[in-house]
Amino acid sequence: MSEVIHVGSGKVRELYALDEERLLLVASDRISTFDVVLPTEIPDKGRVLTGLSAFWFARTRDIVPNHLHALRPDGRSTECRRLEMLPIECVVRGYLAGSGWKDYRATGAVCGHALPEGLVESARLPAPIFTPATKAQEGHDENITRDQAAELVGRKLFDEAERVSLALYRYAAEYAAERGILIADTKFELGLDANGELTLGDEVLTPDSSRFWPADGYATGGAQPSYDKQFVRDFCDAAGWDKEPPGPELPSDVVDGTRARYVEAFERLSGIPFADYVADPDVVLE
Ligand SMILES: Nc1ncnc2c1ncn2[C@@H]1O[C@H](COP(=O)(O)OP(=O)(O)OP(=O)(O)O)[C@@H](O)[C@H]1O
Ligand SMILES: [Mg+2]
């Protein structure tokens, strides 16, 4: 058996090199909030992220090729093609939230997109916008203009990344809305494969890479509850945590409620019982 080399640890995932061409991405059950990993894990969260990503990879190949080779039977490990990642985060926003809302309030624009006046927090945008960000090694990613992003990756690749990201978002947002989940915004990571072809990598359209909102109860003019992390956020707020590490331990009712929300997001979007996925991860590829 060839040696497997651990090449990196993210907040949530571990990265291994299988050989020259292939990586293994292993999603843990760690949860982060306000950019801090909490000491308590959410059982099966890594399986939900892995399964949902694979579900979308299998359905978006006609929009853009992706890195997925195979899922491992544990449901949390993805064998994928190693890509040379673009140095930008490809963010698409359909609604005004988070740093998009902050930038709009300060300047009337987001990443160089001038938006209509008078939009309120959580408003649906007239059309989805591509709002690239830098990949910060430490701390928060920073929003940049489309021109700055084009300088980083080259105009031709930038145009392709923008087109593909918008097409992926449009497809997924429409699909999810029919199933009761609004995808307010999401982040894609694109790279080049060995032939120089633009390829979708990382995780896609998961609660961790996206802002999911429950469609029922959606109301503009304020922040929306998070589909997946609201129990955790409410608990952290009530605990009076200052958002500096270490974060608080989560009590079992918060863990159970959060696990249920992740599983519910998986089942609503995929239409597949989560137990079926655990029994055989390949069900999401059919
Ligand atoms: N196919 C691929 N080829 C090469 N690198 C990849 C591929 N898919 C994902 N990656 C990279 O693997 C890493 C995944 O790690 P992970 O998301 O856990 O941590 P991170 O992005 O460094 O930190 P964060 O916790 O902020 O997400 C990212 O750096 C991502 O760009
Ligand atoms: Mg990441």
Side-chain angles (χ1 to χ4, degrees), residues 10-13 15 23 25 67 80-83 85 135 189 201-202:
K11 281 195 287 294
V12 169
R13 285 170 305 158
L15 201 59
L23 294 174
L25 278 173
H67 74 171
C80 58
R81 271 191 293 162
R82 192 196 283 255
L83 305 173
M85 304 309 287
K135 274 190 185 173
E189 293 196 28
D202 208 60

Side-chain angles (χ1 to χ4, degrees), residues 181-204:
I181 295 177
L182 301 179
I183 303 179
D185 49 46
T186 194
K187 177 208 68 170
F188 301 107
E189 293 196 28
L190 291 154
L192 298 177
D193 72 2
N195 302 317
E197 194 175 357
L198 192 68
T199 306
L200 182 60
D202 208 60
E203 61 176 330
V204 287

Side-chain angles (χ1 to χ4, degrees), residues 46-116:
R47 291 197 172 93
V48 166
L49 300 186
T50 302
L52 266 182
S53 290
F55 173 81
W56 295 115
F57 280 135
R59 279 154 189 81
T60 56
R61 285 201 182 95
D62 51 342
I63 299 175
V64 60
N66 62 63
H67 74 171
L68 177 70
H69 269 313
L71 294 173
R72 294 240 167 132
D74 66 6
R76 61 173 75 249
S77 306
T78 307
E79 292 178 16
C80 58
R81 271 191 293 162
R82 192 196 283 255
L83 305 173
E84 193 190 317
M85 304 309 287
L86 303 187
I88 56 170
E89 311 257 29
C90 295
V91 179
V92 179
R93 297 170 190 276
Y95 295 77
L96 213 40
S99 67
W101 165 239
K102 219 172 101 204
D103 291 354
Y104 171 77
R105 226 175 15 173
T107 68
V110 184
C111 297
H113 297 272
L115 295 173

Side-chain angles (χ1 to χ4, degrees), residues 98-254:
S99 67
W101 165 239
K102 219 172 101 204
D103 291 354
Y104 171 77
R105 226 175 15 173
T107 68
V110 184
C111 297
H113 297 272
L115 295 173
E117 271 176 51
L119 294 178
V120 296
E121 186 173 11
S122 303
R124 185 173 181 180
L125 296 172
I129 53 175
F130 184 61
T131 60
T134 56
K135 274 190 185 173
Q137 290 308 318
E138 257 169 66
H140 292 285
D141 300 328
E142 232 178 89
N143 287 340
I144 52 178
T145 64
R146 293 164 70 253
D147 286 339
Q148 286 169 316
E151 236 163 77
L152 282 173
V153 302
R155 177 54 69 176
K156 190 167 162 283
L157 259 185
F158 172 84
D159 286 344
E160 218 182 325
E162 176 173 58
R163 181 183 59 78
V164 157
S165 299
L166 287 169
L168 288 167
Y169 174 81
R170 282 210 178 84
Y171 166 77
E174 189 181 328
Y175 186 97
E178 285 167 8
R179 289 155 181 85
I181 295 177
L182 301 179
I183 303 179
D185 49 46
T186 194
K187 177 208 68 170
F188 301 107
E189 293 196 28
L190 291 154
L192 298 177
D193 72 2
N195 302 317
E197 194 175 357
L198 192 68
T199 306
L200 182 60
D202 208 60
E203 61 176 330
V204 287
L205 297 156
T206 69
D208 277 17
S209 68
S210 322
R211 210 174 247 116
F212 284 1
W213 291 338
D216 56 354
Y218 165 69
T220 60
Q224 306 304 296
S226 160
Y227 195 90
D228 39 287
K229 282 190 184 151
Q230 202 55 44
F231 297 131
V232 173
R233 298 212 177 124
D234 291 347
F235 173 79
C236 287
D237 282 344
W241 173 47
D242 61 5
K243 293 169 191 164
E244 293 299 321
E249 297 265 2
L250 302 175
S252 62
D253 59 321
V254 173

